[in-house]
Amino acid sequence: AGNAVNAGGINVTASVASGSATLLNASALTNLNGVATFTGLTLTGAAGNVSLSFAATGLTPAVSNAIALTAGSATKLSITTQPSTTGQVATPLAQQPAVQLLDASNNPVSTAGVTVTATLGSGTGTVAGNTAVTNASGLATFSGLAISGATGSYTLAFNSSGLVSATSTAITLLPGPVSQLTVTQQPSSSVQNGVPFPQQPVVSARDAGGNVLSGVVVAATIATGGGTLSGVLSITTDPSGFASFPNLAITGTPGGRTLRFTSGSVNVVSNTVDVTAGTATPLNITTQPSSSAQSGVAFTQQPAVQLQDASGNSVPQSGVTVTAELATGTGTLASQTAQTNGTGLATFSGLSITGAAGSYSLRFTSGALTPAGPSNAITLTAGTATQLSITTQPSANAQSGVAIPVQPVVQLRDGAGNAVSQAGVTVNATIESSPGGTPSLANSSAVTNASGQASFSGLAITGVAGNYTLRFGSAGLTGIVSSQIALGAGGATQLTIITQPSSNGQSGVALPQQPVIQLNDASGNPVTPGSNVTVNAVIATSPGGTPSLSNASAVAVAGGNGRATFSGLAINGLVGNYTLRFESTGLTPVVSNGITVAAGTA
């Protein structure tokens, strides 16, 4: 009926009726008044509403009102935002971690002001920006957290006093920005003005974790002492992290210097470098060459060149070879080297230019020394004649025995090809190449005028038709060969038989083989006539009587092949041996082979 029963010693047990939780101290005994008072009953579980059921053996259970379960005290840490999976040494991680306070049941604990510290869970190094404080939600969000150490794999451990720590996922640490520069090889302690250091500096670049950095540009400048630093002033570190400078040199007054090596905002200064007077670096022309000269002839005034250091002081160094070169103009030099004496002065002897007439200048060099020049202008004129050249080639076509239509002109020239103005030199033409036979030349000499030109007049080739070249020569001079001349036939001067008449025939009957007569020039070349030429046959020899010829004329037609072909030519006379002569006005006749004439038809 719901009346209180005074019954002691009854065990009452509590259990969870609704919700998810576990209980501690979940039983109690009734006292004499029948009341069971629980001590230390504790709910452990996810935050939310929970109700309890109380039961005892043989009794109807009782269910409690709802209990709002909230987080308990913080017992551990949990990473809600993992740090970046990759990062650079000493550089804040792109994704900063966030750590939440949790109770034993993993409920977030909203407690502000709790300090969480990040340390390395794995890997060896240091952590910067490694503390964060929880906000009102119990969340500690880091800012500026960065790892310094050797490149490789790391994890972070997050700790707070009295709480279970949390460890992050792996972080791959990559090299960071330049944090330190070190001069691993100092430049030479003593150097010469303007001369590359005997020992060139080497600088290493490392990040804050001591990792060597490749691909980092290191620039060199003068830190103290002034002057000019030359050479390759910026070097990129190699895979080992070294920037090895190849050719640094200081130009300036003697004294101490230091060098500064810089990469970004990081720099390091070298030991002191003592600069002394330099060796010879530039050359200086102290005596200019003659302002005018002849090609191939030594200058009247020979040049002299002095060794100097970078500051213009004379350097007394002997045995240094100085070479003259052309600064302007195209040609060749003779005697173009000279040696310095004890004062460092190189005086040339026999220096000359061989080249085309015109304006030239010289430059003087010696190994790695800065050249001197250009010199003053040198006006070069022609030298002594050494060779011939053809300024007007003979005609490409000519007739045998007839003056070449375009007569050749030959010029005297010096070794550089400059025209030499020298009169009275005889130039002779000879046949260089021919198609054969025994060709000859007419009017084969000419004499140079005041300009050194020999103009031929009436020069003619007599020979068989074909291609010819001529050589032009003069005593002591190199000759020259002409371009090709195609020689054709000259005027007709003679007759030749190209087809003999039959060696046997009958009186009064046309010879079985009729003769063919060719017009030839004096060299035997076939001639094409400009007008019809009549060739007549006459009896040269006979056995007697009064023989006669029938059809005794033939014509070589104008523009034809120069051949007169007989037709129906017959001998009328006694039986016996005959010869025929073929004639044409103004031409040398020709006599045939023997013809045996037999009796004609009855």
Side-chain angles (χ1 to χ4, degrees):
N3 298 306
V5 176
N6 298 324
I10 296 174
N11 187 38
V12 180
T13 302
S15 63
V16 175
S18 66
S20 177
T22 59
L23 295 175
L24 294 176
N25 302 312
S27 64
L29 294 174
T30 60
N31 57 19
L32 294 177
N33 295 322
V35 176
T37 302
F38 285 78
T39 302
L41 180 62
T42 305
L43 283 171
T44 300
N49 290 325
V50 178
S51 62
L52 301 179
S53 174
F54 299 94
T57 302
L59 302 182
T60 302
V63 177
S64 74
N65 60 301
I67 304 165
L69 188 64
T70 60
S73 300
T75 62
K76 56 186 176 180
L77 299 175
S78 175
I79 302 171
T80 57
T81 301
Q82 290 286 346
S84 305
T85 57
T86 60
Q88 283 184 291
V89 171
T91 302
L93 296 170
Q95 180 168 291
Q96 292 286 310
V99 178
Q100 177 67 51
L101 302 182
L102 297 180
D103 65 10
S105 296
N106 296 323
N107 295 305
V109 177
S110 300
T111 302
V114 177
T115 299
V116 179
T117 303
T119 60
L120 287 176
S122 63
T124 302
T126 60
V127 181
N130 64 332
T131 60
V133 178
T134 59
N135 59 16
S137 299
L139 185 67
T141 302
F142 285 80
S143 174
L145 179 63
I147 301 172
S148 293
T151 57
S153 182
Y154 289 78
T155 59
L156 293 174
F158 298 94
N159 306 284
S160 186
S161 178
L163 303 182
V164 177
S165 63
T167 301
S168 72
T169 54
I171 304 165
T172 299
L173 193 63
L174 304 175
V178 178
S179 175
Q180 54 184 316
L181 294 176
T182 305
V183 183
T184 57
Q185 177 171 289
Q186 293 288 343
S188 304
S189 59
S190 179
V191 300
Q192 287 181 295
N193 180 32
V195 177
F197 306 155
Q199 178 169 293
Q200 293 287 323
V202 177
V203 178
S204 70
R206 295 178 181 272
D207 62 15
N211 299 297
V212 296
L213 300 177
S214 63
V216 172
V217 176
V218 179
T221 57
I222 293 178
T224 60
T228 301
L229 185 64
S230 62
V232 180
L233 303 181
S234 293
I235 296 294
T236 301
T237 56
D238 61 22
S240 298
F242 294 109
S244 300
F245 288 83
N247 59 349
L248 293 183
I250 296 174
T251 300
T253 57
R257 306 286 195 284
T258 58
L259 301 180
R260 175 176 284 109
F261 301 97
T262 305
S263 181
S265 60
V266 181
N267 70 86
V268 64
V269 176
S270 73
N271 295 341
T272 299
V273 179
D274 184 31
V275 178
T276 62
T279 54
T281 51
L283 299 172
N284 183 53
I285 303 172
T286 57
T287 301
Q288 293 283 347
S290 304
S291 59
S292 62
Q294 282 184 286
S295 177
V297 179
F299 301 147
T300 303
Q301 179 169 288
Q302 292 286 312
V305 178
Q306 176 67 51
L307 302 183
Q308 292 183 341
D309 67 11
S311 301
N313 301 309
S314 295
V315 177
Q317 183 179 349
S318 64
V320 176
T321 299
V322 179
T323 302
E325 301 174 349
L326 286 173
T328 58
T330 303
T332 58
L333 297 179
S335 301
Q336 66 186 108
T337 61
Q339 299 282 323
T340 57
N341 59 17
T343 65
L345 184 67
T347 302
F348 286 79
S349 176
L351 179 61
S352 66
I353 301 174
T354 298
S359 182
Y360 292 76
S361 63
L362 299 177
R363 176 176 56 245
F364 298 92
T365 64
S366 181
L369 303 184
T370 303
S375 69
N376 57 278
I378 303 163
T379 301
L380 195 68
T381 57
T384 305
T386 62
Q387 59 182 322
L388 299 175
S389 73
I390 302 172
T391 57
T392 300
Q393 290 283 350
S395 304
N397 295 281
Q399 286 182 283
S400 176
V402 179
I404 297 170
V406 176
Q407 291 286 304
V409 180
V410 177
Q411 176 69 54
L412 302 183
R413 296 192 182 273
D414 64 12
N418 298 305
V420 177
S421 300
Q422 182 180 348
V425 177
T426 299
V427 179
N428 296 307
T430 58
I431 293 175
E432 174 73 7
S433 65
S434 71
T438 55
S440 62
L441 291 177
N443 301 309
S444 59
S445 293
V447 178
T448 58
N449 60 16
S451 299
Q453 286 189 339
S455 300
F456 284 79
S457 176
L459 177 62
I461 303 173
T462 299
V464 297
N467 293 325
Y468 289 74
T469 57
L470 301 179
R471 173 176 290 277
F472 299 94
S474 186
L477 304 182
T478 302
I480 186 74
V481 176
S482 74
S483 56
Q484 186 171 275
I485 304 165
L487 191 68
T493 62
Q494 57 180 324
L495 299 174
T496 59
I497 301 172
I498 61 171
T499 302
Q500 290 283 345
S502 305
S503 59
N504 291 282
Q506 286 179 288
S507 177
V509 178
L511 294 169
Q513 181 169 286
Q514 292 288 306
V516 179
I517 309 302
Q518 176 70 55
L519 305 184
N520 286 342
D521 65 9
S523 297
N525 299 306
V527 175
T528 299
S531 59
N532 290 349
V533 177
T534 300
V535 178
N536 297 306
V538 296
I539 294 174
T541 62
S542 71
T546 56
S548 64
L549 294 175
S550 301
N551 299 312
S553 291
V555 176
V557 179
N561 56 12
R563 295 178 180 178
T565 302
F566 283 81
S567 177
L569 178 63
I571 301 174
N572 304 302
L574 297 174
V575 170
N577 292 323
Y578 290 76
T579 60
L580 301 179
R581 182 170 64 251
F582 298 94
E583 302 173 339
S584 184
T585 303
L587 304 181
T588 301
V590 64
V591 176
S592 74
N593 294 337
I595 306 166
T596 301
V597 175
T601 305

